[in-house]
Amino acid sequence: PPCLICGTPSSFREVLPYNTNGNALRPYYRCEPCDKFVTFADLIGCHPDNPPCNCEPRMASREVVTGSNAQCGAGRKVWRCAEGRCRYWKLSP
């Protein structure tokens, strides 16, 4: 998927094997020029009853847990666009 910031196609990568928040070796997409995470490349956390994102057609979001660098703090539950196509982001209460 393209980066929502610069529009550049994202690169396929794998999370480092020593990742401590349960995502070791998980596939994902990253924008190289912006050095930003785009979305995971799997279906983990995608459930039909998750809140819908802002994409058209509306689709269920992906539930993720924030990492150590998150501005809202580590270990918080968040819903994001499952495909990285829109800026949907909702923090769990």
Side-chain angles (χ1 to χ4, degrees), residues 13-78:
R13 308 210 51 213
E14 282 189 346
V15 176
L16 297 173
Y18 51 83
N19 178 274
T20 58
N21 64 347
N23 292 322
L25 300 176
R26 192 170 172 189
Y28 72 101
Y29 292 97
R30 181 168 200 82
C31 176
E32 301 300 335
C34 295
D35 194 30
K36 299 279 185 195
F37 174 87
V38 175
T39 191
F40 284 110
D42 58 22
L43 295 176
I44 295 172
C46 295
H47 303 287
D49 36 336
N50 287 355
C53 71
N54 298 322
C55 289
E56 290 296 333
R58 303 277 297 211
M59 60 197 308
S61 57
R62 178 194 307 270
E63 183 180 300
V64 296
V65 176
T66 57
S68 59
N69 296 330
Q71 290 180 331
C72 64
R76 304 279 310 269
K77 186 175 10 176
V78 172

